[in-house]
């Protein structure tokens, strides 16, 4: 009776809120313990990107979509960094647990598949949002890039972090070695992030590549954040939020299914 009562207190109904919160807090503490790599390094990398583009082509590039090139570039750099960090958080966590053989410590507690997915993706969202906040502050202080519509920025940063956290879970579950995880990151995630309008407007692309960009959810994440920060975009943010939201549902559904069945997790 006492055990059942204690479990009831922890579950608060049908959801194990305490367990989910504990997993999320573990994921946050995991990346905060190495904040110099997970928070400071992305800020430095984003600053280096902006510095290099400023020195190399900034003065000659002129305006893009009616705004200075560096102003146009800042939201793309911010979003690319969020994409990479949200993906890295869940993928590295799951892959490390599998390689080290302690994934069972996560699977054994009384957490449902949905609660496990929520905990892992919650950590990715926290890391993505923190990185976005730090880079946005840097953009405001050093570039004078403000927030034209903070709500859209928040929506696309959150949806982008959820999508990339889910893709990170898919990669982490699928990969049995760090080499496989690195291949997914280097040959899939990084190219899609770079070729999604981070550094340019897709209007400059040939029609075929424009069509390919419109089929890429990464493009809508970057375009939506750009709209929220500087008020210009290649597509409607409403279209973007619909496509990215649908992609989130599909990817999170895959994560839930694989967690529920133990695909490539249970021996």
């Amino acid at each position: 009776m006492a055990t059942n009562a204690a479990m009831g207190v922890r579950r608060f109904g049908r959801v194990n809120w305490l367990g989910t919160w504990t997993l999320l807090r573990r994921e946050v503490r995991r990346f905060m313990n190495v904040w110099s790599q997970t928070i400071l390094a992305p800020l430095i990398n984003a600053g280096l990107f902006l510095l290099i583009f400023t020195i190399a082509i900034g003065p000659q590039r002129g305006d893009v979509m009616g705004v200075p090139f560096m102003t146009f570039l800042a939201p793309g750099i911010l979003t690319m960094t969020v994409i990479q960090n949200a993906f890295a958080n869940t993928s590295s966590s799951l892959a490390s647990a599998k390689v080290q053989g302690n994934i069972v410590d996560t699977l054994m507690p009384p957490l449902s598949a949905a609660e496990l997915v929520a905990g892992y993706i919650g950590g990715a969202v926290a890391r993505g949002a923190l990185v976005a906040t730090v880079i946005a502050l840097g953009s405001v202080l050093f570039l004078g890039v403000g927030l034209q519509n903070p709500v859209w920025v928040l929506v696309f940063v959150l949806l982008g972090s959820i999508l990339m956290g889910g893709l990170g879970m898919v990669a982490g579950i699928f990969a049995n070695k760090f080499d496989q995880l690195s291949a997914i990151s280097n040959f899939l995630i990084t190219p899609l992030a770079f070729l999604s309008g981070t550094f340019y407007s897709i209007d400059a692309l040939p029609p075929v590549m424009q069509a390919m960009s419109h089929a890429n959810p990464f493009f809508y994440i970057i375009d939506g954040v750009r709209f929220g920060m500087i008020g210009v975009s290649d597509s409607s943010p409403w279209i973007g939020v619909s496509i990215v939201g649908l992609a989130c549902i599909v990817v999170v559904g895959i994560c839930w299914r694989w967690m529920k069945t133990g695909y490539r997790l249970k021996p």
Side-chain angles (χ1 to χ4, degrees), residues 246-261:
L246 179 61
C248 287
I249 292 172
V250 172
V251 171
V252 171
I254 294 172
C255 295
W256 173 81
R257 181 64 180 173
W258 284 6
M259 278 290 182
K260 186 174 180 63
T261 59

Side-chain angles (χ1 to χ4, degrees), residues 21-22 28 30 39 55 59 80 84 92 109-110 126 164 168 191 201 219 224 226 235 259 265:
W21 169 251
T22 302
V28 172
R30 193 179 67 86
I39 306 301
I55 295 173
M80 182 185 70
Q84 293 173 340
S92 63
M164 298 313 301
S201 168
F219 158 71
R226 179 171 286 128
S235 67
M259 278 290 182
L265 289 172

Side-chain angles (χ1 to χ4, degrees), residues 84-120:
Q84 293 173 340
N85 277 267
F87 176 85
N89 203 69
T90 49
S91 61
S92 63
S93 181
L94 279 165
S96 298
K98 289 175 63 179
V99 171
Q100 295 170 5
N102 58 22
I103 187 65
V104 65
D105 295 336
T106 302
L107 299 177
M108 283 184 63
L111 289 168
S112 68
E115 291 161 353
L116 289 170
V117 171
Y120 275 110

